Amino acid sequence: MARRTADDGGRGPTSCFSSSAPRTSRMTLRPTTTRAVPPRPASAASPSNAVTTPGGSWNRSTAREVPISELQEKFGWTDESWQVGLMNAADAASGVKSRNGNGAVSAAELERYLAAPEDGQYLTSTALQQKRSALDAKLAQGPGNAVDVDAFDSGWQSTVARRADLLGGNSDGQLSAEELDAFIQASKAGKHADTRWVPDQQMAALQSRVAEAAGELDPLRPEGASGANGLSLVKEYARLALDQGANVPTFVSYMLSAEDVKETPAGVSRLESTFVRDPELGRGGVTDSDYTNTGFDRGHMKPAEDSPTQEAMDESHQMSNIAPQHGNHNQQVWRTLEQGVSGLVNSQGGKAYIVTGNLYLDEQGQPLPPEKRETTGAGERRLAIPTHNFKTVLHELPNGNLTMYAYLMPNAKEGPSKKEDILPLLDSHRVPVDRIEELLGQDLYANLPKRVQDKLEKGTPGEGVFQRDSLYFAASLFRFAPGN
C-alpha cells in the first residue's frame, strides 16, 4: 500500500495535493548546519508587551518530590530506561544536601541537573548549543583549531569536552569542532552508551509527568475540568486532552525551543511517518481510514515539522493528534500560522509553550452543546468537526522575559491562499488568551504568578509582520502594541 503522510483530506495517497511541489518544499525546514548561532545582540529588544521575570518565568519547588519507584510503576519504566537513569542522575545531583540520593525526584531537580550535567550523561539541545557556543568562543581567542579539554569555564563543559575527545576524537587532550560534532552526532544516534541526547521537547514532557505526579502546576497542563468525556494522555514529546465523545483532541500541548530546531537531525522527515491509531487507545481509537473520502484533511494539532526526532515525528502522526480541517484552511491559513510561530521562536530564540486545539462555537461565538456539533466519518465512528481552531503561545525569551499571544481561527471551507489575503485574516483573529480560557473552561499557563498572568493573558498583541521565506511564509517578527 502506498504510504500516506500528508494531511490529505481523506482522498488517498494519489491526490494529496494538486500542487504537490510547493508542499514538498515546505517540508524541508531543517538547518544545513548544527553549529551554534552567534549570541543575539542585546539591542534585539523584546516585544513591548513582554513581562520581566527576574529569576525565570516561574519557580519549581525542589520539595515537590516523587519517589522514583512510584514513577516507574505509574509509567512502566524499567531500571534500564533512560528516564530512570536521568531521574537517578538528577537525584544524585540535587542542590539540597538532605535530598541528595534520597530516591525521589522533582521537576526542579531535573531542570537543575540538565542546566549543568556534571557527569555528561544526559545532554539537552540547549546544553549542546551552549557547548558548541563555548567551543566557538574558545577557538576565536587564539590560533589553532582545537582547545584544551580543561579550558572551559564550567565543569560540565569540560566533562563533555573530555568525553568528546575520548569517544569522538583522538584522545590527545584537545577538542576540535570536528571532534565535538562527531561526538554529538554519534550520541544522537545512540552509539555512546554513556551519553544520551534528550531534546528539550522530550525533556519538557518528562518534567510535566513528574510535576503532575507531585501535584505541581506545569506549563503544558492547563488547570481545570476536562469534561465528562475528557481523557488526559502524556506522550514522549507532548501531552493532550482527548474529547472521547468527539473523537478529536480538545488540545495538544508541547514545548518548542530554538535549540531543538537547530539540533534536529537532517534525516527527520514526515515522509517516513504514516497516520496510525494511538496505541494507548486500542480498538476504540480513531484510525486513518475514518477520514477516507470525508473531504476533510487530517489536520495536525502539534505540527509534524515541530518534531526534533523521527520518534517525535511518528508520534505526531498518531490520530489522537489529528482533527478534521477543511483543506484550504489546513494547507494555507493554518499552515502559515504554524510556520509563523516556529519561525518566530527560531529567530528570537528561547522556548515556547504551545497549546493548540479545537472549539465548537455557534454564530454568537458561544460553545455548542455536543448534540449540535456537525460530524463526519467514513464509517460508524463519528468525528466532530471543529468550527474553530485555536493556538496559544507562551514564549520565554533568552533573557528570561515572557510574552504571550493567541489566535482563534475559523475552520473555514473557503479561504485565502495568497499572502496578501492570509496575513490580514490572521491579524484579525488574534485574541487574548483569556478568551480561549473562557471558552475552554480551563486556566492555561496556571503555573505563572498571577501578576504575570494578569499582564499577559488580557492583552491582545497588535500587528504581526510576516516575511516570505522560500515557498512558505514564516513570522520573523511580531510587533506588539504598547501598553498591552
Side-chain angles (χ1 to χ4, degrees):
M1 180 182 292
R3 177 182 286 115
R4 183 188 295 123
T5 59
D7 303 332
D8 61 12
R11 293 179 295 276
T14 61
S15 60
C16 294
F17 300 97
S18 58
S19 54
S20 58
R23 182 71 169 194
T24 301
S25 175
R26 288 171 182 158
M27 296 174 188
T28 310
L29 305 176
R30 302 306 180 194
T32 56
T33 176
T34 55
R35 299 304 307 148
V37 296
R40 293 170 181 81
S43 59
S46 301
S48 61
N49 80 325
V51 171
T52 301
T53 55
S57 53
W58 57 86
N59 294 319
R60 298 184 186 272
S61 172
T62 55
R64 293 291 189 98
E65 289 187 314
V66 184
I68 295 174
S69 60
E70 181 180 313
L71 292 167
Q72 284 187 256
E73 182 177 356
K74 180 179 179 65
F75 299 113
W77 295 328
T78 66
D79 290 340
E80 294 73 29
S81 67
W82 71 267
Q83 292 94 340
V84 173
L86 172 54
M87 290 188 293
N88 284 330
D91 177 32
S94 175
V96 182
K97 285 188 177 181
S98 62
R99 302 185 190 282
N100 281 358
N102 67 350
V105 70
S106 66
E109 288 172 328
L110 288 170
E111 195 169 75
R112 183 181 185 278
Y113 165 78
L114 290 168
E118 298 294 340
D119 57 8
Q121 290 187 71
Y122 299 92
L123 301 175
T124 62
S125 297
T126 295
L128 293 183
Q129 282 287 303
Q130 290 174 347
K131 180 59 187 175
R132 293 184 193 277
S133 182
L135 178 58
D136 287 345
K138 292 295 182 182
L139 290 173
Q141 291 176 4
N145 60 359
V147 298
D148 190 272
V149 294
D150 294 316
F152 295 93
D153 299 331
S154 63
W156 76 266
Q157 290 189 1
S158 291
T159 298
V160 172
R162 288 190 291 271
R163 187 164 291 181
D165 179 43
L166 174 65
L167 299 177
N170 54 13
S171 302
D172 64 352
Q174 299 284 306
L175 180 66
S176 67
E178 291 73 19
E179 288 175 332
L180 180 60
D181 278 338
F183 169 73
I184 289 175
Q185 298 310 319
S187 298
K188 288 180 178 180
K191 296 180 180 179
H192 292 322
D194 294 332
T195 300
R196 180 186 175 94
W197 171 48
V198 183
D200 292 340
Q201 189 176 105
Q202 191 174 30
M203 188 60 238
L206 176 62
Q207 283 182 298
S208 185
R209 288 179 189 259
V210 174
E212 182 178 16
E216 188 173 20
L217 294 173
D218 180 83
L220 299 184
R221 183 169 61 91
E223 185 178 38
S226 57
N229 292 318
L231 176 66
S232 178
L233 297 174
V234 188
K235 301 295 184 178
E236 284 294 304
Y237 296 86
R239 64 181 304 148
L240 61 93
L242 182 66
D243 185 337
Q244 293 179 289
N247 288 308
V248 168
T250 300
F251 68 81
V252 178
S253 59
Y254 69 102
M255 190 265 275
L256 177 67
S257 74
E259 288 73 18
D260 267 354
V261 174
K262 295 175 179 65
E263 291 294 340
T264 298
V268 175
S269 171
R270 66 186 298 162
L271 297 177
E272 299 301 319
S273 298
T274 56
F275 290 109
V276 296
R277 190 201 314 256
D278 189 320
E280 293 188 62
L281 301 178
R283 296 184 61 84
V286 174
T287 67
D288 178 35
S289 61
D290 286 326
Y291 281 74
T292 300
N293 296 324
T294 63
F296 286 92
D297 279 13
R298 299 161 176 83
H300 285 75
M301 296 295 95
K302 178 194 172 199
E305 283 84 0
D306 286 354
S307 302
T309 67
Q310 192 61 48
E311 179 186 42
M313 179 69 74
D314 292 345
E315 182 182 282
S316 78
H317 281 73
Q318 292 179 8
M319 298 304 293
S320 55
N321 183 49
I322 303 301
Q325 289 184 321
H326 288 290
N328 188 79
H329 171 66
N330 177 45
Q331 299 165 32
Q332 303 294 336
V333 177
W334 192 248
R335 190 163 181 79
T336 299
L337 177 58
E338 289 177 335
Q339 297 294 355
V341 172
S342 177
L344 179 64
V345 173
N346 193 28
S347 64
Q348 289 195 333
K351 301 175 180 179
Y353 297 88
I354 301 170
V355 182
T356 302
N358 303 287
L359 290 165
Y360 311 87
L361 308 178
D362 62 21
E363 293 182 356
Q364 286 72 46
Q366 297 303 310
L368 286 166
E371 64 272 13
K372 297 290 186 180
R373 299 172 182 175
E374 292 188 16
T375 64
T376 187
E380 293 183 4
R381 193 189 336 265
R382 305 309 295 171
L383 313 169
I385 304 170
T387 62
H388 292 74
N389 303 123
F390 70 85
K391 188 178 293 290
T392 70
V393 182
L394 169 64
H395 190 173
E396 184 176 11
L397 299 165
N399 63 5
N401 285 356
L402 298 174
T403 189
M404 188 183 290
Y405 51 94
Y407 290 85
L408 179 60
M409 302 299 304
N411 181 17
K413 186 173 184 178
E414 304 295 334
S417 58
K418 295 181 179 179
K419 172 187 177 182
E420 58 266 27
D421 299 321
I422 291 176
L423 304 189
L425 178 65
L426 289 172
D427 286 339
S428 68
H429 284 87
R430 286 189 159 196
V431 297
V433 171
D434 271 352
R435 174 58 177 157
I436 305 298
E437 292 180 325
E438 176 188 355
L439 293 169
L440 274 180
Q442 296 187 328
D443 185 7
L444 306 181
Y445 312 120
N447 57 298
L448 292 173
K450 188 176 186 306
R451 68 168 186 86
V452 177
Q453 291 190 61
D454 289 344
K455 171 71 175 179
L456 293 177
E457 294 183 359
K458 289 178 171 56
T460 305
E463 179 186 4
V465 182
F466 288 70
Q467 71 175 11
R468 185 178 181 86
D469 184 2
S470 184
L471 294 177
Y472 64 89
F473 303 112
S476 62
L477 176 66
F478 281 83
R479 291 203 296 267
F480 294 90
N484 282 342

